[in-house]
Amino acid sequence: MIDLYTDSSPNGFKATIALEEMALPYRLHHVRIEAKEHKQPEFLALNPHGRIPVIKDDEAGIVLFESAAILLYLAEKTGQLLSKEPAQRWETIKWLQFHSSSVGPILGQRVHFELFAQDKIPPAIEHYRGLVDDVFTVLDTHLATRPYLAGQDFSIADIAHFGWTHIARIIDFDFSQYRHMSDWHERVAQRPAVRKGITLPEPATGA
């Protein structure tokens, strides 16, 4: 049994989607960020950075934070959504890392400056809008020639990106002009495990 500590957020949804896709038994612990539960000593003992998601696999004696590490671990544990064939495997890891180093952080900064910063700084907003357009162009071009990020098969790389494109749709960061990326998003959104994963621990509102 895996314990998952999470809240409704783009990174949190990566973990719930993965666990649902892989049909792993898990206990869900709702860490309410608005109530500062992620800063409580019990949670900081699991992740000293105080961020969700976190998983604890008692059977293996492993505690993990950082969503990319969690996705890799779950894929290794189950043998699912990460090919053992070297070229395909590293294609998946490459796009997972692209998300972790570029797409997620850039979208997160745009969300901060455009929606949540008390002082609106137009140059910062425009800067991150431009960077988001750049990474969306990369994804759109790549997805023009394949149904999923690593090729023909759905993988943990798709789960990682979908966590954020799902939120982008909720908060009206329109990417409909990126036709191939939009088609990919809709394809992933139709998967039953994805539909369930984005409701756990509760649906996001963007507020």
Side-chain angles (χ1 to χ4, degrees):
M1 179 69 72
I2 289 174
D3 287 280
L4 169 65
Y5 301 81
T6 192
D7 201 357
S8 298
S9 77
N11 292 325
F13 290 142
K14 298 173 195 176
T16 51
I17 290 170
L19 286 162
E20 292 294 328
E21 282 280 353
M22 298 171 191
L24 277 169
Y26 66 99
R27 286 182 291 256
L28 182 64
H29 305 269
H30 191 175
V31 180
R32 293 169 175 82
I33 292 174
E34 285 189 2
K36 307 296 184 186
E37 292 178 359
H38 61 305
K39 297 300 184 183
Q40 296 303 309
E42 313 86 73
F43 186 75
L44 292 173
L46 298 170
N47 181 1
H49 195 198
R51 302 183 71 178
I52 59 92
V54 172
I55 63 167
K56 182 170 68 169
D57 187 343
D58 284 331
E59 181 182 16
I62 289 173
V63 177
L64 284 176
F65 52 86
E66 293 298 329
S67 56
I70 289 170
L71 290 173
L72 285 166
Y73 177 75
L74 295 175
E76 290 285 336
K77 182 179 179 71
T78 62
Q80 298 180 54
L81 305 184
L82 178 61
S83 175
K84 295 188 183 304
E85 191 277 317
Q88 183 74 12
R89 177 184 181 84
W90 284 104
E91 187 72 6
T92 302
I93 293 172
K94 176 176 71 180
W95 288 100
L96 175 65
Q97 292 302 110
F98 176 68
H99 174 80
S100 298
S101 64
S102 297
V103 179
I106 287 169
L107 273 164
Q109 290 299 310
R110 180 179 170 187
V111 168
H112 170 74
F113 283 107
E114 193 163 333
L115 300 180
F116 295 121
Q118 289 188 345
D119 297 321
K120 303 300 182 189
I121 306 172
I125 293 171
E126 289 306 311
H127 175 71
Y128 282 104
R129 283 180 177 175
L131 291 179
V132 167
D133 286 342
D134 288 345
V135 295
F136 282 0
T137 298
V138 170
L139 292 171
D140 190 62
T141 301
H142 181 66
L143 288 162
T145 58
R146 67 211 74 208
Y148 298 105
L149 284 162
Q152 295 301 310
D153 298 324
F154 179 76
S155 74
I156 56 173
D158 299 291
I159 293 175
H161 284 82
F162 185 85
W164 270 101
T165 58
H166 171 65
I167 294 298
R169 283 277 170 90
I170 289 174
I171 59 179
D172 295 325
F173 283 5
D174 181 40
F175 55 85
S176 58
Q177 70 270 37
Y178 301 100
R179 181 169 61 85
H180 305 296
M181 180 181 157
S182 293
D183 289 347
W184 162 88
H185 176 89
E186 295 303 326
R187 196 155 45 244
V188 174
Q190 294 306 309
R191 297 177 68 89
V194 172
R195 291 202 301 268
K196 183 174 180 182
I198 58 174
T199 68
L200 300 169
E202 59 188 17
T205 64

